[in-house]
Amino acid sequence: MNATHNIAEWIPQRPPFVFIDTIVDVSEEHALTQFTIPADCVLVSEGCLSLAGLMEHAAQTCAARAGWVQRQQGQQVKIGYIGAVKQMQTTRLPHVGETLTTEARVIQQVLNISLVDCITRVGDELIATTTLKLATID
């Protein structure tokens, strides 16, 4: 897929806890999403998206990929959980009004457990990297 879709079709989260505006691209191996940070975002503090917000945006990018795969298999979108965060590194917190672009690429998938590398940029500037272990439940 290479287009913008209704985010609610691909992730289980609902407002005000949605941290994706656009699904740019998604496949079985990766997802690319964007999120422009609004001033009224629940995880904004002092004009910046918090570290928890950055992590949630990355996790929802992973969820968009998982949701796409589940829909391709004729399934409902499943609830997922972050099982582990490994090596999260940030250079700065993004400001209100900035657009995050995050790519999530699957490293390993075993049954309902995924290990995913995530890279987040604002424009060309790399601001965060992490590896997430995610689990979905039936």
Side-chain angles (χ1 to χ4, degrees):
M1 182 198 82
N2 201 356
T4 301
H5 282 271
N6 179 359
I7 304 308
E9 293 179 20
W10 308 102
I11 65 173
Q13 292 83 359
R14 295 295 176 255
F17 216 72
V18 174
F19 293 84
I20 296 174
D21 296 325
T22 306
I23 298 172
V24 178
D25 191 36
V26 66
S27 71
E28 208 163 306
E29 297 84 27
H30 88 284
L32 183 68
T33 68
Q34 293 182 320
F35 178 58
T36 301
I37 304 163
D40 64 350
C41 177
V42 296
L43 293 179
V44 163
S45 177
E46 298 179 13
C48 290
L49 185 66
S50 67
L51 185 59
L54 267 175
M55 188 180 312
E56 184 61 29
H57 170 67
Q60 287 185 22
T61 300
C62 297
R65 183 208 65 87
W68 181 85
V69 169
Q70 291 156 6
R71 291 293 207 147
Q72 295 300 305
Q73 296 171 349
Q75 301 173 1
Q76 295 277 57
V77 174
K78 298 174 184 173
I79 301 286
Y81 296 95
I82 299 172
V85 178
K86 184 177 177 186
Q87 301 172 345
M88 183 157 195
Q89 298 180 349
T90 61
T91 59
R92 70 174 178 91
L93 294 177
H95 300 282
V96 166
E98 290 186 312
T99 300
L100 305 177
T101 301
T102 296
E103 181 172 17
R105 191 159 292 282
V106 176
I107 301 168
Q108 188 174 33
Q109 176 85 37
V110 178
L111 301 173
N112 66 330
I113 307 290
S114 302
L115 192 60
V116 185
D117 275 340
C118 298
I119 298 171
T120 301
R121 290 183 163 76
V122 172
D124 292 333
E125 179 188 6
L126 176 66
I127 66 162
T129 60
T130 191
T131 301
L132 298 175
K133 184 183 287 185
L134 303 152
T136 55
I137 58 171
D138 291 325

